[in-house]
Amino acid sequence: MGKLIKGKPVADAITLEVKKDVEHLKQNNIFPKLKIVRIGEREDDIAYERAALKRMQTCDIACEVVALPAEISQEDFILKLKSVNDDKTVHGILLFRPLPKHIDEDKVKYIINAEKDIDCFNPINVSKVMEGDETGFSPCTPTASMEILKYYNVEIRGKLAVVVGRSMVVGKPLSMLLLKEDATVLMCHSKTENLKELTSKADILIAAVGKAKMITKDYIKQGSTVIDVGINIEQDGNLFGDVNTDDCLEKSGLITPVPLGVGSVTTAVLAKHLVKATKLSILY
Amino acid sequence: MGKLIKGKPVADAITLEVKKDVEHLKQNNIFPKLKIVRIGEREDDIAYERAALKRMQTCDIACEVVALPAEISQEDFILKLKSVNDDKTVHGILLFRPLPKHIDEDKVKYIINAEKDIDCFNPINVSKVMEGDETGFSPCTPTASMEILKYYNVEIRGKLAVVVGRSMVVGKPLSMLLLKEDATVLMCHSKTENLKELTSKADILIAAVGKAKMITKDYIKQGSTVIDVGINIEQDGNLFGDVNTDDCLEKSGLITPVPLGVGSVTTAVLAKHLVKATKLSILY
């Protein structure tokens, strides 16, 4: 019988560390501040924003939201983003993506200073993730998955980690983070032949496909660790991961639920990154 | 019985295309120029430099070498590199790596403009390789491996490609290039458990470990494609790849030799990238 591993204890442990750091920074008259930049009113952005605001409050980190109209011109948006970036009181910036289609991401991604780019938008940080250089920022969701593995003492080194999904937000960076911890990493995706045969070899299976309950027990190895990064909202409003948790629980070793899994650790990682960015700002 | 697939026909085909492009550019009064920057007199740098000069000559591309003393200070080196980078008649720069230990690569890698960075040193290009964005430059050696696979019509999409070795020069970027072509990609390395078991499942096996003749027939799948990226010079001066080609030939489907394999395609890719950089310079 597998064990359900929830995100909350992981998030709580990170939050505790962050709070200590924040307290120490404030004693030295440094006041960490996060700025969230949102274009439009997308529901999932607003849900995440609410969670982030709550986490920052718990951590005693100042957090301000810059909400911009969905139809803002690229020119105006760039000016706005530059002014946020130039603000010396701001230590980290979270910009919601994907950006609206009329804004060219390639023109924007260099604007946020690498040192303030706490969710890995700037190519300098993307490149550092690939190099395994920990001086940069990895994206929060894959990092949250790594924090869960570490918190629950999952052995990574030498083990076979299979990542299903190859997005720039989860699959690819998470593959690099696992590789950095010496996992043997298999990257699978929609074009993969014999997917089930491959995933059922995984010591650690990461599901980041975007298909509700796609991973059933036939896809997993007996006793393996299953991390569900999927966020799929069904027509009835219910939230499901990429894993059919009920079906897999018995066969798995450890398995994260959705909700209350990876998602609940993400804002804690964001807070941790904000503190790291604040410390970096002292060095520069 | 496997077939030995050599690099020369691949390099020749690329060279032919490059020559046509160069002729066309010259008719429009644009004269492609490569600058090679070398610090010290490392033997393998000089061997590659010689090969590159010859290829550029074949392609009618101007090529100049800036040879700097091994003991050059970081400050002087940066000044020199900046002046090469600012030279508007130079379209592409090849800087030999690794740099001497007294020069901080992190301080140098942003200097070469991404548009002139034809061997993927600048993080902007590293990030593009990870994103699968073909507007940048991928490093020449992994790109040469891809050119071989394409020239010999090796099916990549959906197939299992196993990459042994995770360097930033070959293993990691090649994994990303294979992923971009829809391979299912397994990244193995020195900490991988049961390596032989994993590699023997590979439809395409890439050896980039740096251990002479390590891959024997027990490591490969019957009828598979084996690409040997290893360059190991033995004490007697002989050059060996990572694959024991004699041992694997019978069992493989297609297999590249060393020498006369991937290495002979690398300078052709360099020439191709130089032409691409020249075309980019017209746009900017």
Side-chain angles (χ1 to χ4, degrees), chain A residues 18-88:
Chain A
V18 168
K19 280 178 80 165
K20 274 189 218 158
D21 278 346
V22 170
E23 202 182 316
H24 185 73
L25 285 163
K26 288 189 173 177
Q27 279 164 358
N28 288 282
N29 286 314
I30 298 154
F31 300 90
K33 194 204 248 179
L34 168 66
K35 206 103 173 190
I36 296 178
V37 179
R38 167 167 52 82
I39 306 180
E41 308 272 336
R42 266 210 330 256
E43 257 183 67
D44 48 345
D45 290 352
I46 289 175
Y48 187 69
E49 184 179 296
R50 204 177 300 127
L53 282 165
K54 200 173 151 198
R55 176 78 58 191
M56 298 310 140
Q57 197 177 26
T58 311
C59 294
D60 292 320
I61 294 171
C63 180
E64 292 169 7
V65 177
V66 182
L68 302 168
E71 62 281 1
I72 190 169
S73 72
Q74 178 166 301
E75 204 184 353
D76 287 349
F77 171 62
I78 287 177
L79 281 175
K80 194 72 206 172
L81 190 60
K82 278 187 177 160
S83 85
V84 172
N85 186 59
D86 291 344
D87 182 345
K88 290 216 162 96

Side-chain angles (χ1 to χ4, degrees), chain A residues 143-194:
Chain A
T143 310
S145 308
M146 296 303 294
E147 293 281 0
I148 290 178
L149 291 173
K150 287 176 192 174
Y151 182 88
Y152 290 103
N153 295 312
V154 176
E155 207 185 334
I156 303 177
R157 185 171 172 160
K159 299 302 172 194
L160 181 61
V162 178
V163 179
V164 190
R166 53 174 161 173
S167 75
M168 275 304 286
V169 195
V170 183
K172 285 184 193 175
L174 186 45
S175 297
M176 291 300 147
L177 296 176
L178 286 159
L179 194 64
K180 163 96 180 150
E181 298 299 324
D182 292 332
T184 300
V185 181
L186 177 62
M187 295 183 281
C188 298
H189 45 80
S190 56
K191 304 295 185 300
T192 293
E193 293 175 2
N194 313 316

